[in-house]
């Protein structure tokens, strides 16, 4: 676990029925189990040795149950920091931004969080669908943080006030995530109806929050999702809920073996066949898993709007190459590109005078402070590139410790 969760320990305590003790051990390493217990893909379960011959331990569900228990029993806010405490400005309120803010506040720092959107939460609020992470789960955490003295300033582009933040803060932490999407450079990319996945997911959430029709709607359409990660799964699930006519997920990777054959891979990493909630729902609705494996996207066809996706099979015998004679078209009136992310927008780092973020090394410090300017740190996906929510939180906690040692 990136967060070094004490998984075997609190699972064993759950088995003994001591829920309070199990909860205390969970919170020892993880500040936000209500998030990770809902959105983490749980690679720990894939790695569970019991899964070699039976169903793995339900680590993900156990974590969510313990977090729900914590909120049911009540979580006390932190004591607000003294007015004379050092001030840290956190740019971004996604998983890393919230985690670094909470940890620094716990250590007695004054913290202000700046968010460009209307509501705090970043990816948790706008990038992850409500059925996977209900927005009231995010809102109650933000409210607890407010009660702990953490300020949230929303609807502000931090690049426009970078000089102000550098002057008035003792430290600035850039935790804006890795929001620059990876594109596909193929013919027809400019056609209407081809969108980045996060653009679609953001719109799906906003139309729910604002109680209005969606500007990007899958209703009655053949939907093609390009990419097989968690974001692609979310796109599949949202398209189903909007009433898509069909959903197909085009994936370049080979189909992994079923879990019953996982022992053949031992001791190599066990990449086993799994279904996310979106794929399970699609199979229940349409009768088959929506994924097409070992297939590359060659282009988009249509007039002004996309009408079809050209795909071609891939062979993995030695080196990966296209299989001749397998080029074909599948219907699509909505295409969602879920190929991952390239990193954070470099212009933000330039605004804070540090250039693009260096993603090597262990330090989170990008520039030391002086009597006129705050020290600048980076945390989470903004520093490492796109990764798991749990990894971003873990990196943010490490960044908080480093920042505290510099300014305390």
């Amino acid at each position: 676990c990136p967060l070094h969760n004490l998984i075997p320990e609190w699972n064993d305590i759950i088995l003994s029925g001591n829920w309070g003790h199990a909860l205390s051990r969970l919170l020892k390493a993880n500040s936000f189990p209500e998030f990770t217990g809902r959105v983490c893909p749980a690679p720990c379960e894939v790695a569970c040795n019991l899964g070699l011959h039976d169903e793995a331990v339900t680590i993900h569900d156990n974590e969510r149950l313990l977090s729900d228990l914590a909120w049911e029993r009540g979580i006390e806010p932190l004591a607000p920091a003294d007015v004379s405490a050092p001030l840290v400005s956190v740019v971004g309120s996604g998983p890393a931004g919230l985690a670094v803010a909470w940890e620094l506040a716990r250590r007695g720092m004054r913290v202000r969080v700046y968010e460009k959107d209307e509501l705090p939460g970043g990816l948790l609020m706008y990038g992850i669908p409500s059925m996977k992470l209900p927005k009231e789960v995010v809102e109650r955490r933000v409210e607890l943080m407010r009660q702990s003295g953490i300020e949230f300033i929303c609807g502000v582009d931090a690049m426009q006030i970078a000089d102000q933040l550098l002057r008035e803060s003792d430290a600035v932490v850039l935790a804006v995530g890795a929001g620059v999407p990876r594109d596909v450079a193929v013919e027809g990319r400019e056609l209407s109806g081809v969108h980045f996945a996060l653009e679609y997911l953001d719109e799906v959430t906003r139309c729910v929050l604002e109680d209005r029709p969606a500007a990007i709607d899958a209703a009655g359409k053949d939907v093609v999702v390009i990419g097989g990660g968690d974001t692609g799964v979310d796109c599949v699930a949202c398209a189903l809920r909007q009433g898509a006519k069909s959903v197909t997920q085009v994936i370049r990777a080979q189909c992994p073996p079923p879990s019953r054959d996982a022992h053949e891979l031992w001791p190599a990493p066990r990449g086993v066949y799994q279904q996310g909630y979106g794929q399970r729902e699609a199979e229940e609705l349409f009768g088959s898993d929506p994924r097409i494996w070992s297939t590359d996207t060659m282009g988009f066809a249509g007039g002004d709007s996309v009408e079809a996706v050209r795909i071609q099979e891939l062979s993995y015998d030695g080196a990966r190459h296209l299989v001749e004679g397998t080029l074909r078209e599948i219907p699509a009136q909505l295409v969602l590109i879920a190929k991952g992310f390239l990193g954070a927008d470099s212009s933000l780092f330039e605004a804070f005078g540090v250039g693009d973020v260096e993603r090597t090394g262990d330090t989170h410090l990008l520039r030391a402070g002086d009597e006129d300017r705050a020290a600048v740190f980076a945390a989470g996906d903004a520093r490492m590139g796109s990764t798991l929510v749990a990894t971003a939180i873990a990196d943010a906690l490490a960044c908080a410790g480093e920042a505290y040692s510099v300014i305390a």
Side-chain angles (χ1 to χ4, degrees):
C1 177
L3 276 164
H4 305 291
N5 268 315
L6 306 173
I7 295 171
E9 184 176 336
W10 47 255
N11 271 330
D12 188 56
I13 299 171
I14 288 174
L15 184 62
S16 72
N18 193 338
W19 295 95
H21 188 201
L23 175 59
S24 70
R25 302 309 288 167
L26 171 62
L27 296 176
K28 188 78 173 176
N30 188 353
S31 303
F32 301 143
E34 71 267 30
F35 299 153
T36 55
R38 286 176 166 83
V39 307
C40 184
C44 50
E45 287 195 25
V46 177
C48 176
N49 287 338
L50 184 61
L52 287 169
H53 55 83
D54 200 346
E55 294 296 322
V57 175
T58 56
I59 302 168
H60 189 264
D61 291 345
N62 293 353
E63 182 176 10
R64 175 178 172 176
L65 178 61
L66 286 174
S67 70
D68 288 347
L69 177 64
W71 284 98
E72 181 182 318
R73 293 185 173 183
I75 301 178
E76 293 295 322
L78 303 171
D82 188 86
V83 292
S84 62
L87 172 64
V88 181
S89 293
V90 179
V91 181
S93 66
L98 294 182
V100 75
W102 180 260
E103 179 61 17
L104 285 170
R106 190 186 70 82
R107 293 175 181 240
M109 302 289 103
R110 290 185 296 138
V111 181
R112 290 177 186 160
V113 180
Y114 292 84
E115 170 57 54
K116 67 178 180 179
D117 282 315
E118 296 86 355
L119 297 172
L123 176 76
L124 301 169
M125 178 59 71
Y126 293 103
I128 298 176
S130 297
M131 66 277 190
K132 187 174 181 179
L133 179 61
K135 300 316 163 190
E136 56 266 25
V137 173
V138 182
E139 290 167 345
R140 73 184 179 188
R141 171 58 70 172
V142 170
E143 178 57 30
L144 182 69
M145 295 176 75
R146 286 195 172 107
Q147 294 172 18
S148 303
I150 299 170
E151 297 180 59
F152 287 89
I153 302 172
C154 296
V156 174
D157 185 347
M159 286 192 291
Q160 305 299 320
I161 58 170
D163 285 341
Q164 174 191 332
L165 298 187
L166 289 170
R167 287 194 308 269
E168 68 184 19
S169 309
D170 294 282
V172 172
V173 179
L174 304 179
V176 294
V180 179
R182 180 178 288 109
D183 209 343
V184 288
V186 296
E187 183 181 0
R189 173 62 183 85
E190 75 287 351
L191 293 176
S192 174
V194 181
H195 302 273
F196 285 119
L198 203 56
E199 176 189 1
Y200 171 65
L201 295 175
D202 180 274
E203 172 59 19
V204 167
T205 296
R206 289 180 187 276
C207 74
V208 172
L209 293 174
E210 299 168 9
D211 192 23
R212 60 170 175 79
I216 307 174
D217 197 348
K221 297 177 182 177
D222 298 299
V223 179
V224 173
V225 179
I226 301 172
D230 292 336
T231 303
V233 174
D234 291 340
C235 288
V236 170
C238 288
L240 294 176
R241 281 160 175 77
Q242 287 185 323
K245 178 182 177 183
S246 69
V247 180
T248 305
Q249 205 171 355
V250 178
I251 302 174
R252 298 180 75 190
Q254 292 177 288
C255 181
S259 58
R260 64 177 178 272
D261 297 330
H263 66 279
E264 298 178 3
L265 303 174
W266 190 260
R270 275 173 280 155
V272 300
Y273 175 84
Q274 293 179 303
Q275 284 186 315
Y277 73 107
Q279 284 112 20
R280 289 195 300 271
E281 293 172 354
E283 184 166 350
E284 290 173 3
L285 186 62
F286 298 122
S288 61
D289 191 299
R291 289 172 289 189
I292 302 176
W293 301 90
S294 301
T295 303
D296 206 356
T297 302
M298 309 306 295
F300 308 122
D304 295 329
S305 300
V306 64
E307 298 174 5
V309 177
R310 296 191 183 98
I311 59 174
Q312 191 165 356
E313 293 178 16
L314 291 166
S315 172
Y316 282 84
D317 49 348
R320 182 177 64 196
H321 58 82
L322 294 169
V323 179
E324 293 185 10
T326 61
L327 181 66
R328 63 188 178 97
E329 290 188 355
I330 55 176
Q333 298 84 51
L334 176 62
V335 175
L336 305 171
I337 301 172
K339 298 286 289 181
F341 302 89
L342 298 175
D345 186 347
S346 61
S347 61
L348 175 75
F349 296 93
E350 293 167 2
F352 283 89
V354 292
D356 199 3
V357 63
E358 178 60 52
R359 298 192 182 98
T360 59
D362 296 327
T363 182
H364 297 78
L365 179 65
L366 302 182
R367 192 191 65 196
D370 54 41
E371 59 183 19
D372 297 320
R373 290 289 188 271
V376 180
F377 299 82
D381 289 8
R383 187 179 81 90
M384 301 179 297
S386 181
T387 184
L388 300 177
V389 167
T391 307
I393 293 174
D395 190 69
L397 296 177
C399 177
E402 188 176 330
Y404 179 81
S405 67
V406 169
I407 66 175

